[in-house]
Amino acid sequence: MAASDAGRQTQNEGYRTLSLSGHVGFDSLPDQLVKKAIKQGFCFNILCIGETGIGKSTLMNSLFNANFDDPVSTHFLPSVQLRAQTYELQESNVLLKLTIVHTVGFGDQINKADSCQPIVDYIDAQFEVYLQEELKIKRSLSSCHDTRIHVCLYFISPTGHSLKTLDLLTMKRLDSKVNIIPIIGKADSISKTELQKFKNKIMSELVGNDVQIYQFPTDDETISKTNNVMNGHLPFAVVGSTEFVKIGNKMVRARQYPWGTVEVENENHCDFVKLREMLIYTNMEDLREQTHARHYELYRRCRLEEMGFRDIGPENKPVSLQEAYEEKRHEFYLQLQREEEEMRQRFVQRVKEKEAVLKEAEQQIQTKFEHRMLMNQEMKLKLEKKKKALEDEITVFLEKKASAELPQSQTSVSTPIVSLKRDKDRKNFT
Ligand code: GTP
Ligand code: MG
């Protein structure tokens, strides 16, 4: 064989390194990868966090040289809402599926304690969609739309003072879930000397509060120098505009004021170009990679551990997926049995309670019944007495009547006065 003829160069553990004696063709692998990636297209998802009107939509239009037609948000929402819009953009032969997620109503509520929760929930929900796809038997990860957030542009208000509590709390909650790039919005409203102080203050506050922001990678020699310098410029002070002004013989994106013009792409005016270069031109793939390898990995690990899966068991022995599954199933079965027993106990207890209540009610009814019977008997006795008395009265009356009728027939002619009196007595009687 040609390869074995070429000889053995080094003997490593379990494999040998051979040199080839002719061209084979696998050096085209990178080209094949590029072709495949171009055919598939790319997706990139940006989350814009910042208070209402800080310039989020304008900056997105400026960054991608497009008009995303984002509606203006209201200031009066009871809670923060997330609005995602996906666009397909094409540059040369590269297709980009871009999703821009806006935090509508961020910072507008009087009580801002819950401002961060909807954002955390949204990021987690996108991770969960991906995880569920990964766990399917029939997966289609390459064709499904990956909605995981690759970068969070956090807009800081150009106050010139320091970060707001809400900024610190939000960034702290999100730093393990997403790559955060802090930027100062509407940076044309802050003077050059104030801006540097402001940037320093922001960075020292972030470091002081242990907020991990995204650092442009410095491990690749070709870009390490630029990325290193750019890390020193964070947070970027940006200006956005949808207007174009003629400067010299060129139309440029700018904001015009009575005292002058701020050019968006002029590096002496703001850091817009730095942001665009770092975000899109140099580090877009790193942001995608970091999202998958760092943030999603962390989410996935926590979720799988929550579900009961783990790689090593007690005594540091590796646990296979099957073993972990069986163990979890057994645990679940025991828990089910425990719950069933608890439910049975509760049921028995309730039946006993019901029985006691029924018995008491029965006794009450019995007592009432006996009482009634007694009363009825008394009443009956009374009535019988009354009846007897009436009967006696009737007998007396009939006797009186009979005796009264007899002498009357004998004396009716001779003694009219007595007869009249008897008539009167009879009337009174009736
Ligand atoms: P909502 O989506 O409604 O929260 O607002 P938004 O953050 O998307 O802000 P938007 O881009 O709609 O800009 C709001 C206003 O600020 C508009 O009048 C913009 O012209 C203006 N604006 C945007 N960017 C800048 C900037 O960099 N500097 C200044 N001075 N104004 C800007
Ligand atoms: Mg907007």
Side-chain angles (χ1 to χ4, degrees), residues 232-262:
H233 281 290
L234 285 169
F236 293 134
V238 294
V239 174
S241 178
T242 45
E243 281 173 37
F244 287 83
V245 177
K246 193 162 188 184
I247 308 259
N249 54 2
K250 252 176 90 183
M251 291 298 282
V252 294
R253 216 176 259 277
R255 300 191 72 82
Q256 267 187 312
Y257 296 104
W259 54 88
T261 304
V262 181

Side-chain angles (χ1 to χ4, degrees), residues 338-353:
R338 262 199 312 275
E339 279 173 11
E340 247 177 42
E341 181 55 26
E342 270 174 29
M343 250 170 74
R344 203 183 65 77
Q345 296 278 356
R346 270 206 302 274
F347 179 72
V348 169
Q349 180 67 23
R350 283 183 68 178
V351 168
K352 275 184 186 163
E353 281 170 12

Side-chain angles (χ1 to χ4, degrees), residues 51-58 72-73 186 188 239-240 255 257:
E51 57 192 49
T52 311
I54 186 75
K56 301 182 290 289
S57 306
T58 312
V72 173
S73 320
K186 295 190 174 178
D188 51 334
V239 174
R255 300 191 72 82
Y257 296 104

Side-chain angles (χ1 to χ4, degrees), residues 387-415:
K387 189 182 164 194
K388 179 93 176 44
L390 277 172
E391 277 171 2
D392 289 350
E393 231 172 89
I394 290 169
T395 319
V396 171
F397 167 73
L398 287 173
E399 276 170 13
K400 268 188 185 171
K401 189 186 168 198
S403 62
E405 275 170 359
L406 192 66
Q408 189 189 27
S409 58
Q410 288 168 359
T411 55
S412 59
V413 182
S414 57
T415 52

Side-chain angles (χ1 to χ4, degrees), residues 158-225:
T159 59
H161 290 281
S162 56
L163 286 170
K164 295 177 185 171
T165 316
L166 177 64
D167 298 332
L168 278 172
L169 286 177
T170 309
M171 282 194 256
K172 184 85 205 113
R173 281 270 327 258
L174 299 182
D175 69 355
S176 60
K177 294 185 176 292
V178 68
N179 300 310
I180 302 174
I181 299 182
I183 54 179
I184 301 167
K186 295 190 174 178
D188 51 334
S189 62
I190 192 163
S191 78
K192 210 168 180 175
T193 41
E194 275 178 344
L195 183 64
Q196 199 45 52
K197 276 192 211 153
F198 189 36
K199 279 188 175 190
N200 294 342
K201 185 90 202 300
I202 291 169
M203 287 315 282
S204 75
E205 281 189 336
L206 290 175
V207 172
N209 287 284
D210 197 24
V211 177
Q212 308 289 323
I213 57 167
Y214 174 73
Q215 292 289 305
F216 303 116
T218 50
D219 45 3
D220 178 352
E221 280 168 28
T222 54
I223 49 166
S224 68
K225 206 169 156 210

Side-chain angles (χ1 to χ4, degrees), residues 143-399:
S143 62
C144 82
H145 181 203
D146 182 2
T147 54
R148 294 172 299 174
I149 298 295
H150 298 116
V151 68
C152 159
L153 292 180
Y154 194 95
F155 287 70
I156 299 163
S157 301
T159 59
H161 290 281
S162 56
L163 286 170
K164 295 177 185 171
T165 316
L166 177 64
D167 298 332
L168 278 172
L169 286 177
T170 309
M171 282 194 256
K172 184 85 205 113
R173 281 270 327 258
L174 299 182
D175 69 355
S176 60
K177 294 185 176 292
V178 68
N179 300 310
I180 302 174
I181 299 182
I183 54 179
I184 301 167
K186 295 190 174 178
D188 51 334
S189 62
I190 192 163
S191 78
K192 210 168 180 175
T193 41
E194 275 178 344
L195 183 64
Q196 199 45 52
K197 276 192 211 153
F198 189 36
K199 279 188 175 190
N200 294 342
K201 185 90 202 300
I202 291 169
M203 287 315 282
S204 75
E205 281 189 336
L206 290 175
V207 172
N209 287 284
D210 197 24
V211 177
Q212 308 289 323
I213 57 167
Y214 174 73
Q215 292 289 305
F216 303 116
T218 50
D219 45 3
D220 178 352
E221 280 168 28
T222 54
I223 49 166
S224 68
K225 206 169 156 210
T226 326
N227 277 358
N228 221 345
V229 174
M230 288 300 162
N231 281 328
H233 281 290
L234 285 169
F236 293 134
V238 294
V239 174
S241 178
T242 45
E243 281 173 37
F244 287 83
V245 177
K246 193 162 188 184
I247 308 259
N249 54 2
K250 252 176 90 183
M251 291 298 282
V252 294
R253 216 176 259 277
R255 300 191 72 82
Q256 267 187 312
Y257 296 104
W259 54 88
T261 304
V262 181
E263 293 167 41
V264 172
E265 297 188 34
N266 187 333
E267 288 207 55
N268 290 320
H269 294 187
C270 72
D271 297 332
F272 173 84
V273 172
K274 292 188 181 74
L275 173 68
R276 190 175 58 192
E277 293 239 340
M278 286 294 100
L279 179 71
I280 304 172
Y281 189 69
T282 322
N283 298 301
M284 206 178 214
E285 184 49 28
D286 185 68
L287 285 160
R288 284 159 37 93
E289 215 175 283
Q290 292 285 323
T291 302
H292 186 72
R294 234 176 90 210
H295 302 302
Y296 171 66
E297 204 56 31
L298 181 66
Y299 177 83
R300 179 181 172 277
R301 201 178 73 209
C302 294
R303 279 286 287 130
L304 291 183
E305 278 171 1
E306 226 176 74
M307 288 181 208
F309 296 110
R310 61 205 144 81
D311 295 332
I312 39 174
E315 297 157 29
N316 269 356
K317 268 193 187 159
V319 180
S320 72
L321 193 71
Q322 175 72 19
E323 283 168 335
Y325 172 74
E326 287 296 340
E327 198 180 309
K328 193 71 195 167
R329 216 169 87 123
H330 183 62
E331 217 176 88
F332 180 69
Y333 178 70
L334 289 179
Q335 191 187 338
L336 204 75
Q337 271 188 331
R338 262 199 312 275
E339 279 173 11
E340 247 177 42
E341 181 55 26
E342 270 174 29
M343 250 170 74
R344 203 183 65 77
Q345 296 278 356
R346 270 206 302 274
F347 179 72
V348 169
Q349 180 67 23
R350 283 183 68 178
V351 168
K352 275 184 186 163
E353 281 170 12
K354 279 264 152 71
E355 268 176 7
V357 170
L358 271 174
K359 213 168 184 177
E360 206 181 301
E362 222 173 69
Q363 265 173 2
Q364 277 177 2
I365 290 169
Q366 179 71 20
T367 322
K368 268 189 190 161
F369 179 72
E370 282 168 3
H371 182 67
R372 272 273 155 81
M373 288 288 283
L374 219 69
M375 275 177 45
N376 280 352
Q377 270 175 1
E378 274 173 19
M379 193 93 91
K380 203 174 163 190
L381 273 171
K382 265 187 200 167
L383 282 173
E384 272 171 8
K385 261 186 196 168
K386 248 188 190 164
K387 189 182 164 194
K388 179 93 176 44
L390 277 172
E391 277 171 2
D392 289 350
E393 231 172 89
I394 290 169
T395 319
V396 171
F397 167 73
L398 287 173
E399 276 170 13

